[in-house]
Amino acid sequence: MADFLPYGRQSVSDEDIAAVTEVLRGDWLTTGPAVTRFESDLAEHTGGTPAVAVTSGTAALHVAYAAAGIGPDDEVVTSPMTFVATAATAALLGGNVVFADVEADTGNLDPAAAAAAVTSRTKVVAAVDYAGHPAELDELGRIAHDNGALLLEDAAHSVGGSWQGRPVGSLADLTTFSFFPTKNLTTAEGGAVVAGSDELLARARGFRNHGLVRDKAAQRYPDEGAWHQEVHEFGLNYRLPDVLCALGSSQLRRLAEFKKRRAEIHARYTAALSSLDGVLTPAVREGADPVWHLYPLRVLEGRRRALFDHLRAKGIGVQVNYIPAYWHPVFEDLGYRRGMCPNAELYYGQELSLPLFPALTDADVDRVIDEVHGFFG
Ligand SMILES: *Cc1c(COP(=O)(O)O)cnc(C)c1O
């Protein structure tokens, strides 16, 4: 049988390995010069918006909501068509997560649904750039700001993309990235929070590092001694180590090449599958410049599960992204009910992510295409 094709995987080059071993031989393993370098390298891809490196995309969301001041009684309006962390991190801070439905074509948060869901208690509207296609960020930003809320963009899928000519990272008050191996670039585990506001950045940096205050001018007890650091607000240790930041800087140099290859594979799938009865290929909106993290094929007539099982049996590692977040029992137990967001539920019922990562060859892609065609006969 042919090799198993995963749905996603990292691409690590000799240069990436050399960048990591150089740090391993140096003086710093954790917080050293590679962190600051990675943060400034990342800012070159966000239109100059500063970045705070953290240990995962989940940590980035937790830090971003903490920076936004989410606490009990605050509402976060978000999309259910996402990995559970987008909602879970807000809930962990005591926030009340309000799911608003997605648009039928892109699976991204529907501005009309978000507008209907915001109240005077809404502190954050959190959009997700599903599959790497930016959400309707201008409209969502207006809706958030008109209600005194912040716009958060979960850009775990879309680092390197842009919307209406402006790069992801420059479009929302807070943007979060994930550098998990299947994402568009990797640091093994890792993530970042990007923000234009000095206050949000300071709060994000504080939460990343236990809330420790080192600046004497800001301390309550500055005369305690030269060693003294003090905590004013609780935080966690979400520091991304130097070793992994070095990998991140090296991977960023390859991001344009990754994006190009992902786009080629995406186009090859669409060209071969768009005329096939029984499936829908992904939509692209005017003004969107996606970085395709996923290829979300939609399988009609209730045949998604059968096609999933067929492809898996052929050694093709398809995936489903995502079960609507409120279907997770943890949300069900809080009283969230099925039926709340019909577009998201329909999208989930049809969605099948085909293998998509830079090292896929055209022959690999054609093998997937042939098996899909074979299934529909
Ligand atoms: C991957 C992902 C996350 C979480 O990132 P981790 O680095 O795995 O913690 C959050 N949101 C979305 C949309 C993701 O795809």
Side-chain angles (χ1 to χ4, degrees):
M1 198 169 106
D3 291 342
F4 181 79
L5 287 181
Y7 88 96
R9 66 161 287 145
Q10 70 277 14
S11 166
V12 175
S13 67
D14 289 347
E15 289 75 18
D16 293 335
I17 293 166
V20 171
T21 52
E22 196 186 318
V23 172
L24 281 170
R25 291 198 178 90
D27 293 332
W28 306 90
L29 288 183
T30 59
T31 303
V35 178
T36 357
R37 199 177 319 127
F38 179 49
E39 290 177 343
S40 58
D41 290 346
L42 193 54
E44 286 178 25
H45 298 265
T46 62
T49 321
V52 179
V54 295
T55 49
S56 68
T58 304
L61 286 158
H62 200 194
V63 167
Y65 288 128
I70 293 297
D73 299 330
D74 295 326
E75 288 175 357
V76 172
V77 171
T78 192
S79 162
M81 189 43 56
T82 186
F83 182 59
V84 67
T86 317
T89 45
L92 274 171
L93 289 163
N96 179 19
V97 179
V98 178
F99 292 101
D101 210 352
V102 300
E103 302 190 88
D105 60 343
T106 58
N108 281 335
L109 185 59
D110 175 0
V118 295
T119 72
S120 57
R121 289 185 303 279
T122 306
K123 218 170 201 174
V124 170
V125 173
V128 179
D129 296 336
Y130 178 76
H133 186 302
E136 294 288 329
L137 295 155
D138 301 301
E139 241 181 297
L140 291 166
R142 264 194 303 279
I143 291 160
H145 297 155
D146 286 352
N147 282 275
L150 297 173
L151 177 65
L152 185 154
E153 181 182 358
D154 180 345
H157 298 181
S158 60
V159 61
S162 63
W163 174 246
Q164 311 300 338
R166 284 144 37 230
V168 166
S170 69
L171 298 156
D173 301 296
L174 289 152
T175 305
T176 61
F177 295 129
S178 164
F179 308 127
F180 188 73
T182 55
K183 303 291 165 72
N184 296 326
L185 68 98
T186 192
T187 61
E189 297 284 358
V193 181
V194 169
S197 138
D198 289 342
E199 193 191 327
L200 288 173
L201 284 169
R203 290 177 61 85
R205 291 195 183 102
F207 195 81
R208 168 178 70 175
N209 191 29
H210 309 283
L212 283 168
V213 177
R214 289 193 182 142
D215 175 7
K216 292 285 169 210
Q219 288 181 349
R220 188 174 303 174
Y221 302 108
D223 300 329
E224 183 65 24
W227 62 84
H228 180 64
Q229 310 177 45
E230 59 188 36
V231 171
H232 298 180
E233 278 186 286
F234 293 122
L236 289 163
N237 173 359
Y238 278 154
R239 301 185 306 262
L240 188 65
D242 251 38
V243 179
L244 300 184
C245 286
L247 178 56
S249 285
S250 184
Q251 288 261 303
L252 274 175
R253 288 193 278 280
R254 306 174 60 208
L255 181 58
E257 162 208 327
F258 292 158
K259 179 180 180 182
K260 179 165 169 284
R261 182 61 191 149
R262 285 176 173 278
E264 285 167 4
I265 296 166
H266 195 280
R268 198 172 182 90
Y269 279 136
T270 295
L273 298 173
S274 60
S275 60
L276 184 63
D277 283 340
V279 300
L280 284 177
T281 52
V284 186
R285 293 209 168 177
E286 183 96 31
D289 171 29
V291 183
W292 292 110
H293 162 57
L294 298 174
Y295 188 93
L297 187 70
R298 279 182 297 153
V299 187
L300 308 178
E301 291 151 22
R303 300 191 74 193
R304 189 272 308 275
R305 188 175 184 148
L307 180 56
F308 179 99
D309 292 342
H310 173 81
L311 292 173
R312 280 288 179 103
K314 298 284 184 187
I316 295 170
V318 283
Q319 188 55 278
V320 170
N321 306 91
Y322 296 95
I323 182 172
Y326 59 83
W327 284 23
H328 286 283
V330 68
F331 281 108
E332 197 172 66
D333 292 350
L334 289 169
Y336 292 80
R337 289 291 170 260
R338 292 184 183 214
M340 234 166 46
C341 297
N343 287 350
E345 295 185 11
L346 179 66
Y347 198 107
Y348 161 67
Q350 298 176 334
E351 202 274 342
L352 186 69
S353 301
L354 301 182
L356 179 55
F357 54 92
L360 274 182
T361 63
D362 287 352
D364 293 329
V365 177
D366 291 345
R367 182 181 141 207
V368 177
I369 290 166
D370 288 347
E371 292 294 353
V372 173
H373 277 279
F375 173 81
F376 286 100

